[in-house]
Amino acid sequence: MNRGGKIRTYNVLKELYKQDEVTYLGFDGLIPGEEPLKRVDEYCSRAVAVNHRETERGQAAFFLELAGNLFSSLPYSVAKLRSGEIAQKLQEELARPDLDYLVCDFVHAAVNMP
């Protein structure tokens, strides 16, 4: 947790977890070398992780992704987080009868919300 948004999310989840069961659904390995689920037992009772890696800036594949996104209605920073697998896992979680609420902490992640 090296930025304000990550620190805020961690603390929000940690406080919610003090009062209720929390399932964290998110990307694992989004940034090479980062371990987002390393401290998972501090902020949730259950974690569902989907492997998703961002293409590193400066690589040819990154520029191809940018070019491919030119005609998208979404900014690249949002479109790169679109994931069929995370959307499917989200649908599975929404079907759980014990779900009380859903928190989408960043607008960029909303691209996978139904």
Side-chain angles (χ1 to χ4, degrees):
M1 289 169 282
N2 57 358
R3 292 188 214 147
K6 292 178 185 180
I7 294 167
R8 181 181 57 94
T9 297
Y10 167 76
N11 284 301
V12 166
L13 289 173
K14 194 171 161 183
E15 290 302 312
L16 287 172
Y17 186 41
K18 287 178 182 178
Q19 300 173 24
D20 207 344
E21 289 187 27
V22 172
T23 298
Y24 171 83
L25 171 63
F27 293 124
D28 185 18
L30 186 64
I31 300 168
E34 189 174 276
E35 298 179 53
L37 300 179
K38 185 166 55 172
R39 297 167 60 181
V40 71
D41 59 334
E42 295 177 14
Y43 58 85
C44 73
S45 41
R46 188 168 148 266
V48 179
V50 172
N51 195 343
H52 183 79
R53 294 217 181 258
E54 289 185 15
T55 305
E56 290 186 49
R57 291 180 183 205
Q59 294 182 345
F62 173 75
F63 294 108
L64 286 172
E65 286 179 10
L66 283 176
N69 195 67
L70 282 174
F71 301 102
S72 172
S73 62
L74 298 173
Y76 175 74
S77 61
V78 174
K80 70 181 179 178
L81 296 178
R82 180 175 280 160
S83 165
E85 187 175 358
I86 204 105
Q88 176 60 39
K89 295 284 186 189
L90 181 57
Q91 288 291 346
E92 292 170 14
E93 292 301 314
L94 290 171
R96 291 177 53 137
D98 59 343
L99 180 73
D100 292 325
Y101 49 88
L102 173 69
V103 177
C104 181
D105 205 26
F106 290 95
V107 70
H108 290 80
V111 70
N112 296 303
M113 299 291 287

